[in-house]
Amino acid sequence: MSIERLAVTKEAAEIIELLKKENGELVFNQSGGCCDGTAPMCYSKNDFYVPSRNVKLGEICDCEFFMDKDQFEYFKHSHITIDVKKETAFGNSFSLEIDLGYQFITKSRIFTDEEYAKLK
């Protein structure tokens, strides 16, 4: 049995499915900070070019999830769960969920030795 690097909460999955109905195919990207911040960002697949240096971590709700290569260095030993929180500061993000009053967030934990040995 292999171990996935990425998971999604039920609450985040519900928001993703709503966004898919409104926007079609989606893609997630978590950059290395600076102007983009470090929160996972959700875009319409046709509106975002994934930088070639980014690492594909997997898929959530049939949407590809990428992370900046340098950011991945910090998370390569971690299991990542994408969750969502209520957000009232509308307009401080280009991510699609912000217009619905939410923001995707990353929760992580270090893999156990057994999990790390079984990583995909």
Side-chain angles (χ1 to χ4, degrees):
M1 180 172 114
S2 63
I3 300 294
E4 300 283 340
R5 289 189 176 276
L6 194 59
V8 63
T9 65
K10 179 180 177 268
E11 294 81 8
E14 289 171 359
I15 299 299
I16 293 168
E17 292 304 326
L18 193 68
L19 290 170
K20 284 166 60 175
K21 287 178 186 170
E22 292 179 4
N23 300 280
E25 286 186 273
L26 305 174
V27 63
F28 283 83
N29 190 64
Q30 186 164 325
S31 78
C34 189
C35 299
D36 293 337
T38 57
M41 304 283 276
C42 178
Y43 303 99
S44 173
K45 193 166 187 173
N46 294 329
D47 290 340
F48 184 75
Y49 171 77
V50 178
S52 61
R53 63 182 259 122
N54 287 15
V55 177
K56 182 178 177 182
L57 296 186
E59 295 186 5
I60 53 174
C61 301
D62 297 320
C63 304
E64 294 177 303
F65 190 101
F66 295 89
M67 182 177 281
D68 175 83
K69 183 180 98 171
D70 294 334
Q71 184 81 348
F72 178 70
E73 284 301 309
Y74 292 105
F75 283 99
K76 67 183 176 184
H77 301 290
S78 301
H79 180 270
I80 295 171
T81 300
I82 303 304
D83 201 355
V84 69
K85 68 173 185 158
K86 287 276 193 186
E87 179 57 63
T88 57
F90 295 106
N92 71 347
S93 173
F94 294 111
S95 194
L96 293 173
E97 78 284 358
I98 202 73
D99 288 339
L100 300 176
Y102 293 94
Q103 182 180 22
F104 290 115
I105 58 173
T106 299
K107 295 181 177 180
S108 64
R109 66 171 176 79
I110 303 298
F111 286 115
T112 65
D113 290 340
E114 294 80 23
E115 289 172 325
Y116 197 73
K118 295 177 183 178
L119 267 178
K120 270 186 146 177

